[in-house]
Amino acid sequence: MKIGKVVIIPDEEQILNDKFEFDVMDEKGHVMAYQEFSDKYKLGFRFSLDDSQQVSLSIASIGHFTYKTEDNAGLLVFYLPQDITERQLTYFQNNFFDFSKYKMIGAYSLIEVDDKVVSKEVEGLNNINQEMIKKYNSTKKKEEKGHVR
């Protein structure tokens, strides 16, 4: 029985496919989804089955926007890379209404603090939307200045 899903919207500079989606059938399924993504695109990760949080952050740390759901709990958790691409922002905004159906919505947003990448928590769909827009605008400014991602 399906208990949730994992969706990854890749950075289009790295992976041409628009979306990777995996139905989670048991509690280890979230990690298995990220492992399958890594294997499919030859990213080289070997994830441990007991750290779903770190696995999600690892995928976000290389530029891919991802989220996972636990349907029985009404839980939706996003993992935001430092840079948000146009494809990632568009996907988020096109699915905003569907996301709003979840009871508990949060995100971990990767940011740079003192030359280290850390995650900050963002709660609520509207706050996550604002974080996505801010990151997208920052990414565009970097690109305009000639800083390649």
Side-chain angles (χ1 to χ4, degrees):
M1 180 174 91
K2 180 181 166 198
I3 64 167
K5 69 180 175 180
V6 168
V7 176
I8 303 168
I9 308 304
D11 172 350
E12 53 263 39
E13 295 290 321
Q14 298 177 50
I15 296 173
L16 294 178
N17 290 345
D18 289 344
K19 173 173 76 167
F20 175 88
E21 192 166 343
F22 187 95
D23 287 338
V24 175
M25 306 310 274
D26 61 36
E27 54 282 339
K28 296 187 191 289
H30 289 97
V31 175
M32 289 172 39
Y34 289 110
Q35 188 63 60
E36 187 170 306
F37 178 78
S38 175
D39 294 347
K40 180 175 182 173
Y41 296 107
K42 299 175 179 34
L43 302 178
F45 288 106
R46 290 287 162 246
F47 295 124
S48 167
L49 287 177
D50 48 337
D51 197 2
S52 155
Q53 178 74 1
Q54 189 54 47
V55 169
S56 306
L57 289 169
S58 295
I59 293 298
S61 74
I62 59 170
H64 307 301
F65 166 60
T66 182
Y67 66 91
K68 61 186 177 184
T69 68
E70 291 182 18
D71 295 340
N72 292 342
L75 177 65
L76 171 61
V77 182
F78 295 98
Y79 298 87
L80 313 181
Q82 281 186 273
D83 295 315
I84 294 293
T85 68
E86 185 171 346
R87 174 200 288 169
Q88 293 165 341
L89 180 62
T90 299
Y91 177 87
F92 180 85
Q93 292 180 333
N94 287 346
N95 290 279
F96 190 88
F97 180 74
D98 291 332
F99 296 148
S100 69
K101 296 175 184 173
Y102 287 87
K103 294 178 190 133
M104 294 180 287
I105 303 171
Y108 292 92
S109 179
L110 295 178
I111 58 171
E112 191 169 324
V113 176
D114 298 328
D115 295 326
K116 290 170 67 177
V117 176
V118 298
S119 67
K120 75 172 185 177
E121 292 183 33
V122 182
E123 293 184 13
L125 198 53
N126 288 326
N127 291 335
I128 296 166
N129 185 46
Q130 291 306 310
E131 182 79 2
M132 294 278 292
I133 292 168
K134 182 173 83 172
K135 286 173 166 278
Y136 172 72
N137 288 335
S138 173
T139 301
K140 284 200 52 113
K141 283 181 186 169
K142 285 184 212 173
E143 290 172 351
E144 289 168 3
K145 289 181 180 178
H147 295 272
V148 179
R149 291 187 280 127

